[in-house]
Amino acid sequence: MTVPHRALESTRLKKLCFTRRYASRHLATISLVASLVLLMSAFAACARPTPLPFPIATRIATEIPAEALPSPTAEVSPTPSATLTAAATSTPAPTPTAFITPPHAVESVNIPVLMYHHLKYREPNASETLKTWSVAPDQFAAQLDYLQGRGFHTITFKQLVAFFENGAPLPTNPILLTFDDGWIDAYTVAFPELKQRGMVGNFFVPTRYADAGGELLVNWEQILEMDRAGMEFGGHTISHADLTKITLEEMRRELRDSKTKIEDKLGHPIYALSYPFGAFNPKVMAETQAAGYRAALILCCGYKQSADILFALPRIRVSYDDTLDDLASKLPP
Ligand SMILES: [Zn+2]
């Protein structure tokens, strides 16, 4: 049975009038209750981070290998080739002509995050660890050329977070190039190669490593120079700690103090954390979020990113023996 249009309007009008009368009569009470609810919500939000998609994260965690990190004092970097260390002239980043917008809900989008550690030539007596986590400088340069040729646009984690959190557009074919640990070749190889192509790299440095600096590791002065040239830095704890194996108090200190120190040195916020050894669990993810990070990276695998895995973003490892075809096979078609 249909209700006559006029009768329906009349009913709606009565309801509206009643609501208005009720509202004005109880305005003070409603305001007080609303304020209390808002206050309690704000307190709850501060005290407890937004729940994370733990089942997804835990599944990924069980599939990843532990990162084998070389001791910072164990290996000496070879002198990088002259062509790679020559001061590069800075060219402006190409302006993308099109943008993509974030998907609704938790649909994934193809945003590869490549993972590098050392950029150095393999020495005959190099340890297995060093072999596993190195890419030759000339291969690295060729890979950058290849990515540019394919139309990829390097972005920052600041942009990625804005994309998923606020719907800020990204350039088409976005990609992130991450470099963990702050080895000196981040400064002597990656930085000039990226700069001369107008590309951006994302560097994750344990603060104690940057304090040490020297022949093996980037120091704060170099970090600042790279930051000012447009490179992005993120957290990798103070001491490259396995966050799953330390006390809650130590975990909080490793996460928070390193973030504060990098931000103090750079004079602006940082956004992402790379879990040392790729080691994480739900507790680590929650503490990372509570420490103020907006995203975090794991070691494995693939290029599908979505808002519900912002604290377990997968990466693609580039290996020493990867040809450009191998690299292509790891990227979206
Ligand atoms: Zn690391």
Side-chain angles (χ1 to χ4, degrees), residues 67-70 116-117 179-183 204-206 209 236-237 240 274-278 299 315:
E67 174 189 12
L69 179 82
Y116 295 94
H117 283 71
F179 305 84
D180 281 19
D181 302 339
W183 301 107
F204 296 88
V205 184
Y209 287 22
H236 206 33
T237 74
H240 205 278
S274 167
Y275 298 117
F277 309 100
L299 295 184
R315 292 193 283 183

Side-chain angles (χ1 to χ4, degrees), residues 106-127:
V106 293
E107 282 176 46
S108 63
V109 282
N110 293 342
I111 305 180
V113 181
L114 299 190
M115 177 176 64
Y116 295 94
H117 283 71
H118 291 279
L119 295 173
K120 62 199 296 186
Y121 292 102
R122 184 182 284 174
E123 295 165 85
N125 59 347
S127 65

Side-chain angles (χ1 to χ4, degrees), residues 7 22 33 39 92 100 117 131 186 206 208 221 231 267 269 275 287:
Y22 183 85
V33 171
L39 197 64
I100 59 169
H117 283 71
K131 286 179 191 169
R208 195 170 287 166
E221 193 181 335
M231 302 296 133
Y275 298 117
E287 288 299 328

